[in-house]
Amino acid sequence: MPLLLTEEQSMLRDSARGLISDKAPVAHLRHLRDSRDETGFSRELWATFAEMGFAGLLVPEEHGGSGLNAVEAGVVMEEIGRTLMPSPFLSTAVLAASALTRAGSAAQKAEYLPKIADGSLLAALALDEGAKHRPLHTTMQAVRSGNGFRLTGAKAMVVDGHVADLLIVAARSAGSPGERDGLTLFLVDPKAKGVAIERTVMVDAHNAARITFDHVEVDADHVLGEIDGASAILDGVLGLGRGAVASEMVGLSEEVFGRTVAYLKERKQFGKLIGEFQALQHRAAQLYIEIEITRAAVLKALQTLDSDPADAAALVAVAKARAGATATRAVQEGVQMHGGMGMTDQFDIGFFMKRARVCEELFGDSNYHADQLACLRGY
């Protein structure tokens, strides 16, 4: 398959770019940060997102969505990365919509998916528990109680968890931490008795939450998928999520590159434009090459998620690891080539550096995915 967008995907990209660049430039994020906005994103803009069909991008058509796939989600995420737009697109429209579509019962799909598509429901995946992404090391307990389960434990780095109307929670219903079998997903009302949510504003001015579950009762109707069988569901959901975050980092990297090249063409040193210095030209050229190779790797991973998801794990690992390394290089080069100005808060380049660092950790950093790839290759 050619590593190019189709005409329809290009139209989607242009539509998303027009809306996001107009309504959510980096100044939008800066305003939300400086005003200490309680939500951390614009609900009005999210409503516009839903009206344009972006919230229901992955929701099947029978439930009010567009029924599109991973490549299209990546297209929108790349545009989000260009302006660092804070929105619940990743948590709700990608992760939650995918989980419910893959594993939800008919009743669960009918109840939640139309609300995701119209923008009226926000959802969050509560998975990680520590400083690093280790989904199989889940220790949160799900103990059978009456007609359901009792959940006890804590989750960290729950993206958009502070505004979620629905939590998709991974807990261990059998086995020991580190074992693949024994994980179960639960649909939990964040207002349920025993749920405590603490908003954490991350270094990149985006939002996450710490959530504790103190003997939270969940009935059997709120189990998502098979009991003890969540690992297979998470493989697909996280594969899509990692591809989406990798796409965001491609957009972030390209925007930083464009801003840096523009600066090289206007800043003068010793009576010359600094872009005329060969050393800087070489560094800029190398960064451009890195971004284009990473773009190809990410698009290939997304295409494979759509065409042959069973064989996509290795490509997704490569894409996420490479996107993290490329974004890190892009922001470091960007800050350095901007000189002292690049280190100031009044200059936007620092926002990109902070977001790149968070995206690198989200759903596994480069080391995590290098290890995943080695395991898949039998090492």
Side-chain angles (χ1 to χ4, degrees), residues 80-97:
I80 287 174
R82 291 179 185 276
T83 70
L84 308 178
M85 171 189 169
S87 87
F89 182 79
L90 174 64
S91 59
T92 299
V94 176
L95 297 173

Side-chain angles (χ1 to χ4, degrees), residues 102-236:
R102 293 167 186 270
S105 65
Q108 290 169 342
K109 291 178 181 179
E111 180 177 0
Y112 297 117
L113 288 177
K115 295 178 182 178
I116 289 178
D118 66 20
S120 62
L121 178 79
L122 301 179
L125 176 64
L127 177 61
D128 288 320
E129 299 178 355
K132 289 291 185 178
H133 177 67
R134 297 290 186 271
L136 295 185
H137 287 74
T138 295
T139 61
M140 182 172 171
Q141 293 296 307
V143 179
R144 287 189 178 274
S145 174
N147 187 40
F149 290 83
R150 182 182 298 116
L151 306 182
T152 304
K155 297 293 182 180
M157 192 74 169
V158 181
V159 177
D160 295 321
H162 69 300
V163 294
D165 305 303
L166 176 70
L167 298 173
I168 301 176
V169 183
R172 186 159 292 283
S173 49
S176 303
E179 294 181 1
R180 180 173 173 80
D181 295 332
L183 293 178
T184 302
L185 291 177
F186 299 90
L187 302 177
V188 180
D189 183 347
K191 296 184 175 66
K193 182 180 178 181
V195 179
I197 301 176
E198 176 192 0
R199 178 189 179 188
T200 56
V201 180
M202 296 186 288
V203 67
D204 63 344
H206 286 63
N207 301 283
R210 298 186 185 95
I211 306 178
T212 58
F213 300 82
D214 184 11
H215 297 86
V216 177
E217 298 287 345
V218 181
D219 63 41
D221 291 339
H222 287 79
V223 172
L224 183 64
E226 298 292 330
I227 296 173
D228 299 337
S231 292
I233 303 169
L234 287 171
D235 286 345

Side-chain angles (χ1 to χ4, degrees), residues 324-368:
T326 299
T328 298
R329 179 169 186 172
V331 295
Q332 288 176 345
E333 291 282 44
V335 167
Q336 189 168 39
M337 290 188 195
H338 278 86
M341 184 185 300
M343 298 299 295
T344 63
D345 183 71
Q346 68 182 20
F347 203 67
D348 287 344
I349 208 76
F351 282 85
F352 288 90
M353 174 172 273
K354 293 169 183 175
R355 182 58 182 167
R357 189 69 189 93
V358 172
C359 287
E360 161 75 356
E361 291 292 332
L362 196 59
F363 307 137
D365 60 13
S366 296
N367 290 332
Y368 174 88

